[in-house]
């Protein structure tokens, strides 16, 4: 096993891939709010708010997809195994 | 008393657009919006290199064997010369010629890259050979798989897509006036600020 080299080798985080999504949401909010706000007053709070909204939306979409696949879809399209 | 909101004129500033492509955020710095430009540049670059930190060099590969990597490079390239330089570096220094197929490719486990100057090579270009485990040889980097590959791609492609919006905003300063005017209007209603209260920012937006 060769030594890990940052930026060349991937990190060993396949099991905690979801932990990479909140930082991504924060970075998206950092750039988008810097571009979109009329003034940068209250910028930090706006970034936190948008990042929170993105994470919440992802959680809700995930929960919705889970409910649909596990409970709704089998009722609509019953599969016999 | 009725409040009049002046819409920002839509300008056209090709120099700012070009600078925004060359260095993320530089277009807004050129327009006089230094803090905005620094925040944009830092955000885009941290996102791009954050993706490489997660997924490794394999996520930026315009000639990958994986279709999703090749398509994703179009998005990554919008980060600018940084992304293009990373890809060039990847192609020229971390890939080699497969002498069996006469194609340049990334290395698999158990293979080693012999540089042009390596005495075992004898050719003027890097070639792929079987690694000697006793000498601690192996490929120059490990190709990411699974979720870290996907997350790395996601980071780098979103960085490029956001920078595309940044480039357009620098190219057409004030072009997003409708949304901004709405935000200003809401603040006026709330008594927070009055329209045009920030003349320096407005002058910068107009693309002086």
């Amino acid at each position: 096993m060769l030594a890990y080299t940052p930026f060349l080798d991937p990190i060993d985080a396949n099991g905690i891939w979801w932990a990479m999504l909140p930082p991504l949401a924060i970075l998206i909010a950092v750039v988008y709010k810097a571009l979109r706000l009329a003034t940068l007053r209250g910028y930090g709070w706006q970034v936190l708010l948008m990042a929170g909204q993105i994470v919440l939306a992802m959680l809700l979409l995930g929960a919705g997809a889970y409910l649909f696949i596990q409970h709704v879809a089998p009722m609509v399209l019953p599969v016999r195994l | 008393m009725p409040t009049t909101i002046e819409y920002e004129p839509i300008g056209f500033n090709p120099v700012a657009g070009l600078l925004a492509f060359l260095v993320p955020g530089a277009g807004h710095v050129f327009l006089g919006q230094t803090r905005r430009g620094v925040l944009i540049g830092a955000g885009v670059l941290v996102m791009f290199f954050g993706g490489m930190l997660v997924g490794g060099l394999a996520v930026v590969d315009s000639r990958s064997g994986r279709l999703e990597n090749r398509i994703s490079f179009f998005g990554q390239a919008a980060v600018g010369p940084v992304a293009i330089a990373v890809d060039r570096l990847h192609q020229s220094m971390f890939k080699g010629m497969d002498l069996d197929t006469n194609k340049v490719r990334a290395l698999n486990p158990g293979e080693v890259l012999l540089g042009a100057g390596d005495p075992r090579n004898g050719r003027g270009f890097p070639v792929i050979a079987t690694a000697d485990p006793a000498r601690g040889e192996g490929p120059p980097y490990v190709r990411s798989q699974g979720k870290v590959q996907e997350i790395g791609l996601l980071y780098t492609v979103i960085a490029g897509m956001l920078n595309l919006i940044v480039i357009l905003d620098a190219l057409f300063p004030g072009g997003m006036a409708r949304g901004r005017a709405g935000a200003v209007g809401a603040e006026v209603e709330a008594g927070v600020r009055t329209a045009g209260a920030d003349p320096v920012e407005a002058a910068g937006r107009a693309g002086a």
Side-chain angles (χ1 to χ4, degrees):
Chain A
M1 180 76 185
L2 295 173
Y4 165 74
T5 310
F7 301 105
L8 282 185
D9 299 319
I11 60 171
D12 184 15
N14 271 307
I16 52 162
W17 61 270
W18 45 267
M20 316 290 163
L21 296 178
L24 179 63
I26 292 171
L27 287 168
I28 290 171
V30 162
V31 177
Y32 186 79
K33 285 296 175 182
L35 193 67
R36 194 69 177 151
L37 287 177
T39 70
L40 293 178
R41 199 168 40 187
Y43 171 76
W45 285 113
Q46 289 287 333
V47 167
L48 287 178
L49 182 67
M50 183 178 170
Q53 287 171 334
I54 294 171
V55 172
L56 185 65
M58 284 194 291
L59 288 172
L60 291 175
L61 281 171
Y66 174 82
L67 288 173
F68 181 79
I69 292 167
Q70 292 293 325
H71 300 287
V72 179
M75 284 191 290
V76 179
L77 296 166
V79 177
R80 290 179 187 170
L81 297 174
Chain B
M1 183 179 169
T3 306
T4 304
I5 296 171
E6 292 182 7
Y7 285 76
E8 299 166 10
I10 298 173
F12 177 65
N13 198 322
V15 178
L18 180 66
L19 286 172
F21 173 72
L22 292 176
V23 182
H28 286 79
V29 173
F30 177 75
L31 291 172
Q33 302 163 37
T34 307
R35 192 177 163 212
R36 204 183 288 272
V38 169
L39 287 167
I40 288 168
V44 169
L45 291 176
V46 168
M47 207 182 300
F48 180 77
F49 286 108
M52 286 185 62
L53 193 63
V54 172
L57 186 63
V59 298
V60 184
D61 190 354
S62 64
R63 295 181 183 175
S64 171
R66 298 168 176 155
L67 178 64
E68 70 265 27
N69 279 51
R70 294 200 301 274
I71 293 173
S72 296
F73 184 71
F74 288 104
Q76 294 163 343
V79 171
V82 171
I84 295 164
V86 167
D87 180 60
R88 287 294 91 204
L89 196 72
H90 186 181
Q91 306 303 329
S92 61
M93 293 186 67
F94 293 94
K95 286 188 173 183
M97 176 74 79
D98 184 340
L99 295 174
D100 293 332
T101 61
N102 279 335
K103 286 184 178 174
V104 175
R105 65 168 174 84
L107 278 68
N108 295 317
E111 294 177 334
V112 66
L113 187 65
L114 301 181
D118 193 300
R120 290 179 290 166
N121 185 345
R123 297 170 184 81
F125 49 85
V127 298
I128 298 172
T130 305
D132 182 2
R135 299 172 67 169
E137 290 178 342
Y141 67 89
V142 177
R143 277 194 285 177
S144 53
Q145 305 282 347
K147 289 293 182 186
V148 288
Q149 158 80 3
E150 290 175 20
I151 297 287
L153 272 183
L154 195 65
Y155 267 69
T156 49
V157 172
I158 290 179
M161 293 294 93
L162 280 173
N163 200 45
L164 189 62
I165 302 173
V166 171
I167 292 166
L168 290 173
D169 193 66
L171 193 61
F172 302 103
M176 296 164 91
R178 194 182 304 156
R180 290 207 178 94
V184 171
E187 288 174 340
V188 170
E189 282 178 16
V192 177
R193 68 179 285 240
T194 55
D198 194 350
V200 176
E201 194 78 26
R205 291 254 135 222

